[in-house]
Amino acid sequence: MSSGYTCLRCLRGQVGWLLRKGSAPRTAEGKRYINTSCKPASLLSKPARANAGPIQQKAAYALDYQGQYAKDEPVEIPSPTGLASAPLPKVEGRALLQPDNLFHSFSNSPSPAIRRRAAFMKQHAYCPHPSHHRTRLPTSPTDFTVDTSSVRPSVPPAHVKFECPDCGIPVSCSEEHWADDYESHLEICETLKEINEDDHDLNSGRFFYEFEYPGEQMEEALVNMTNWDTCLYSREFRALNEPRNMRQATRLLTYPVTVASVLHELSPYNIRRGGRLTMEGLKSLSALRYTLHPPRSGAGLDMKGIRPNPPPVRIFILGARAESSLPREVWVQMSHMFPRATFHLIFVGPESMANRDSEFPLPERTPENPFGAIIEDRISHQMKISTFVDYYHTLHTAGLFYPYDPYFDCFMLFHPGLGHPASSHEWEETLPQLLETKVPIICTGYTDWDMQRDRKWIEEKVGGEYDLLMEPGENRFRSLRWDLNDLDPSDISCGNWGIWAFRGKRYETTRKDA
């Protein structure tokens, strides 16, 4: 008999009988716990499911549909129309933070990971009060080490210990310094509170439906690249009605969508007024778009439909860090925006294996694989990913990627820090080799000042030997989630805030009759 016509009491009794076969002791009333560890999708094995009755099978398949369920917690079975839903019993596991209970001070956080983060900040971050002596040179005009106060430094540097009661993050060495410098802290206090709640949301144990990604869609359904809302809607993402869900989703999607927003034929960047694209940029991107949006060739599955396929478009992601460890489903979203093209993503950099401990040890260096590359060629029929834990100038000198073709190659630099004092020396040998290829080089930055510093550094190193393809400006597909620098709580940024592009200068030769 269908559960839709079953008495609610009987249905709950049947489901409870299934779950009591391996149940654990119940906890005290008033607390709800959840376990998000990887478990089998169903509590019934295949033989048991085959021998179970129709109601037991329906309950088991209902558990399958959940995807993520609490430890020893029965799923909430929908009630017949007009009746209240069945209440959930209290079970043991990990505490689930509710959306209205996400604000906690870092030191008193229910998440052990955030408490460890607070201890790290108190050991390494310094108080930004102007009375302290500086421990380093300023890295931006908004850096707290910039001397904009009339107070002369007279106190030795001190680590942060006091947590602001409004944002819950350690920002000062004492309550007196926090109160004295409260006016400057107030400029970022609301943003720090948002960061606090977003971090607790990631550790809440809830099911993140915003990390469910759609698959391929028909070619006639074009992607609208105007902004995040139109892009996610036209790609048939699940509706993200809460700002926090949108912030969590865009933190990952900003990497593939930023690349696609520049290369796509419906890109919001153009040569119109305010479009930021230059004439040289239109020339370079038109060559790539010709490959990424090929005309229909009449290819089919039978012998008559066999057609030659072009090579994949190679996107070199240099100085790769966090972007190389993104879930591969995130990068596949870029291939769905170009249904007729194939991609080969190449992560290059000494930190390209960060947060990928499960893939160690690296492959041995052999004559067939001289640089120990990690090849992932089973991700999708449209995408292949290679990772090289080495500097690009080493691979370029060896001629590993020759030849370069402006129709099939592109460089992508996420927050490269070209002009940053701590990392500029790593790019001095790489920059001339990048310009030598004459293919587009797309860069992002944390702030406008960060991008202008990178551009100034390039001008100092190569002079006029580069063409500007896209003027620096705000990225329409930047991350909407703000991030906190644990070494400096007053330093907040969002991923891929700005974007610009350049390439090696191309000279056109003209003949003149003598």
Side-chain angles (χ1 to χ4, degrees):
M1 178 166 52
S2 172
S3 62
Y5 300 94
T6 305
C7 172
L8 178 61
R9 181 178 298 177
C10 297
L11 183 60
R12 289 171 56 187
Q14 292 285 355
V15 176
W17 175 80
L18 284 175
L19 298 173
R20 282 196 300 272
K21 297 180 69 176
S23 62
R26 299 293 191 259
T27 59
E29 294 290 328
K31 295 183 180 179
R32 183 186 176 201
Y33 295 90
I34 188 170
N35 182 9
T36 58
S37 60
C38 297
K39 296 287 184 182
S42 174
L43 297 179
L44 289 179
S45 60
K46 290 185 178 179
R49 184 182 294 177
N51 298 327
I55 297 180
Q56 291 90 334
Q57 289 184 3
K58 180 174 286 291
Y61 282 115
L63 291 173
D64 276 342
Y65 179 75
Q66 287 295 314
Q68 181 183 14
Y69 57 90
K71 180 180 179 181
D72 302 323
E73 176 177 321
V75 67
E76 186 174 1
I77 302 297
S79 303
T81 305
L83 296 179
S85 59
L88 291 172
K90 310 302 183 293
V91 295
E92 70 172 353
R94 183 159 63 86
L96 177 67
L97 295 177
Q98 299 298 327
D100 57 351
N101 186 31
L102 294 178
F103 179 76
H104 300 272
S105 65
F106 269 30
S107 297
N108 301 317
S109 171
S111 171
I114 295 182
R115 292 199 300 269
R116 289 193 296 268
R117 186 179 179 186
F120 177 87
M121 295 173 65
K122 292 181 179 181
Q123 292 178 357
H124 297 85
Y126 288 95
C127 177
H129 194 272
S131 64
H132 289 286
H133 289 289
R134 300 298 173 240
T135 59
R136 57 178 175 81
L137 295 175
T139 58
S140 70
T142 58
D143 198 331
F144 76 89
T145 59
V146 178
D147 189 9
T148 59
S149 174
S150 58
V151 180
R152 295 180 59 86
S154 59
V155 182
H159 293 291
V160 295
K161 295 180 181 179
F162 178 78
E163 293 180 336
C164 172
D166 298 326
C167 63
I169 294 177
V171 293
S172 296
C173 63
S174 63
E175 185 176 0
E176 291 75 15
H177 277 188
W178 168 78
D180 186 47
D181 201 32
Y182 182 72
E183 184 176 354
S184 60
H185 171 71
L186 196 61
E187 299 176 359
I188 60 173
C189 186
E190 190 65 27
T191 305
L192 291 177
K193 181 180 179 181
E194 182 182 291
I195 294 174
N196 185 331
E197 294 180 349
D198 289 347
D199 287 341
H200 279 96
D201 180 53
L202 288 177
N203 292 272
S204 65
R206 71 174 178 89
F207 179 72
F208 293 91
Y209 67 87
E210 57 265 40
F211 296 149
E212 291 182 333
Y213 303 111
E216 299 179 6
Q217 64 187 40
M218 59 180 182
E219 296 185 32
E220 290 75 13
L222 300 179
V223 181
N224 190 326
M225 307 293 289
T226 304
N227 52 44
W228 272 120
D229 292 326
T230 60
C231 179
L232 298 182
Y233 176 80
S234 58
R235 274 288 295 128
E236 300 180 353
F237 274 75
R238 184 173 176 177
L240 303 178
N241 299 320
E242 296 295 330
R244 179 170 292 110
N245 300 132
M246 180 69 83
R247 291 196 297 268
Q248 305 290 23
T250 58
R251 185 63 184 91
L252 301 184
L253 290 172
T254 180
Y255 291 98
V257 179
T258 293
V259 181
S261 66
V262 177
L263 303 182
H264 203 276
E265 64 180 357
L266 301 178
S267 170
Y269 309 110
N270 49 60
I271 59 174
R272 300 186 185 95
R273 180 177 298 179
R276 293 168 48 193
L277 198 66
T278 65
M279 289 302 299
E280 292 297 326
L282 181 62
K283 295 177 183 178
S284 291
L285 295 181
S286 296
L288 281 169
R289 292 169 183 171
Y290 180 83
T291 305
L292 294 171
H293 301 279
R296 294 182 180 273
S297 60
L301 300 178
D302 54 358
M303 293 295 294
K304 295 183 179 179
I306 296 179
R307 300 289 187 275
N309 293 323
V313 174
R314 300 188 300 178
I315 300 180
F316 299 90
I317 302 177
L318 307 187
R321 296 184 296 273
E323 56 271 20
S324 66
S325 62
L326 286 178
R328 296 319 183 212
E329 295 83 359
V330 177
W331 283 111
V332 170
Q333 291 302 305
M334 184 175 67
S335 65
H336 293 333
M337 299 182 184
F338 304 90
R340 299 185 203 167
T342 56
F343 292 92
H344 183 189
L345 302 184
I346 303 175
F347 296 109
V348 181
E351 300 178 66
S352 57
M353 288 300 294
N355 301 322
R356 297 170 63 178
D357 297 340
S358 59
E359 301 180 45
F360 283 96
L362 299 177
E364 295 183 2
R365 302 200 174 197
T366 62
E368 294 79 13
N369 189 9
F371 293 96
I374 300 175
I375 310 298
E376 303 171 66
D377 56 356
R378 295 293 184 269
I379 297 175
S380 166
H381 67 281
Q382 290 182 270
M383 181 170 288
K384 171 184 176 182
I385 295 181
S386 301
T387 305
F388 293 85
V389 189
D390 212 329
Y391 286 103
Y392 172 77
H393 54 76
T394 304
L395 307 177
H396 182 93
T397 305
L400 184 63
F401 302 122
Y402 273 103
Y404 296 92
D405 192 329
Y407 282 82
F408 292 95
D409 295 329
C410 173
F411 289 99
M412 186 70 215
L413 281 62
F414 292 108
H415 317 116
L418 299 176
H420 195 280
S423 58
S424 59
H425 65 281
E426 298 179 350
W427 294 98
E428 288 188 1
E429 188 175 352
T430 301
L431 180 62
Q433 296 174 346
L434 292 178
L435 300 179
E436 179 186 339
T437 62
K438 309 298 182 183
V439 301
I441 306 168
I442 306 172
C443 295
T444 64
Y446 289 113
T447 61
D448 181 68
W449 190 84
D450 184 26
M451 293 187 296
Q452 296 296 343
R453 179 181 58 185
D454 291 348
R455 183 179 177 184
K456 181 180 179 181
W457 181 83
I458 293 176
E459 292 178 350
E460 293 176 354
K461 296 298 178 181
V462 299
E465 293 300 316
Y466 77 97
D467 288 325
L468 187 65
L469 305 185
M470 188 167 68
E471 298 175 357
E474 185 175 354
N475 178 15
R476 295 200 183 195
F477 295 96
R478 68 175 180 88
S479 170
L480 300 181
R481 186 181 187 274
W482 290 91
D483 297 314
L484 175 67
N485 182 1
D486 292 349
L487 298 177
D488 181 6
S490 62
D491 180 19
I492 56 176
S493 60
C494 64
N496 301 324
W497 181 89
I499 188 171
W500 64 296
F502 65 99
R503 63 160 162 75
K505 193 171 187 63
R506 302 184 64 178
Y507 294 93
E508 296 183 2
T509 304
T510 57
R511 293 188 177 183
K512 184 178 180 180
D513 296 334

